[in-house]
Amino acid sequence: MTSLSVIIPTFNEIDSIEDALKSVKFAHEIIVIDSFSNDGTKEKVLEYGCKLVERKFDNFSNQKNHAITYATCDWILFMDADERVSEKLKIEILSEIEKTHHSGFMLSFPHYYMNRFLYHKVDKVLRLVKNKNVAFTGDVHEKLHIDGSIGSLKNFMIHYTYKSLFHSLKKKDSYAWFQANTSYKKGKKATYFHLIFKPLYRFFSSYILKRGFLDGIPGLALASINAYGVFSRYVKIILIEKGLK
């Protein structure tokens, strides 16, 4: 029988980690790579009998690559604490890893916003892979690399992207600071082009190219917040450059 490891990075995820763990209890092992949570997350993980690995966070790729060294199964599923494997996706995962010729699978993630799933705002991400020559690169937008062909699963991963408008803005702002610091260390500068055209393109991409307009007001709101996140990132680079952080 083909075995499956699940890797979940965490930091203070007590409000969501239990449901995430319940949704992948079918896996042969669950590895939680934690950045020294202090809200009860670690205790909850141990309560469920998972492997708990603690590591100081430096970037997303290094964190996940460290966790991979603890995985002992044939396949690895990477997920976040605010994600859930549905029953249909569980069945599909277990079926595919037994018979496939692929080395990995893309999973679909509809965004959850304003109490509904936005099925026209769907990200496809490589998350299910054979445990062989697996590695992440990139500090912020980490990319998963594998050897071999990649397929796509049909069923959605449930992703509670944003709990509320305040949560979405706070999440974008926090992420923008991380991106800005990483970009500044690499010597990247912010220009008027970045401040004006980059946010406009992100809105256009989210609302028009990815058909966010079909999701009504939530689609419009999410496209606007995505544009704000891009604008915020470049403003923060300027603040760092001027020593105003």
Side-chain angles (χ1 to χ4, degrees), residues 75 93 95-105 130 149 151:
W75 284 75
I93 288 173
S95 173
E96 288 296 333
I97 64 176
E98 287 290 346
K99 64 183 182 182
T100 187
H101 64 277
H102 292 303
S103 296
F105 287 95
K130 282 186 178 179
S149 61

Side-chain angles (χ1 to χ4, degrees), residues 120-138:
H120 296 97
K121 173 59 178 171
V122 177
D123 295 328
K124 287 185 175 290
V125 189
L126 180 61
R127 288 290 195 87
L128 178 63
V129 298
K130 282 186 178 179
N131 187 7
K132 184 179 180 181
N133 298 327
V134 182
F136 284 90
T137 60

Side-chain angles (χ1 to χ4, degrees), residues 68-106:
I68 289 170
T69 64
Y70 290 85
T72 62
C73 295
D74 303 310
W75 284 75
I76 303 175
L77 172 66
F78 297 94
M79 63 181 286
D80 293 332
D82 60 355
E83 297 168 354
R84 314 283 181 262
V85 174
S86 67
E87 187 66 21
K88 288 183 178 180
L89 180 58
K90 163 194 163 182
I91 294 171
E92 187 178 12
I93 288 173
L94 293 177
S95 173
E96 288 296 333
I97 64 176
E98 287 290 346
K99 64 183 182 182
T100 187
H101 64 277
H102 292 303
S103 296
F105 287 95
M106 306 287 284

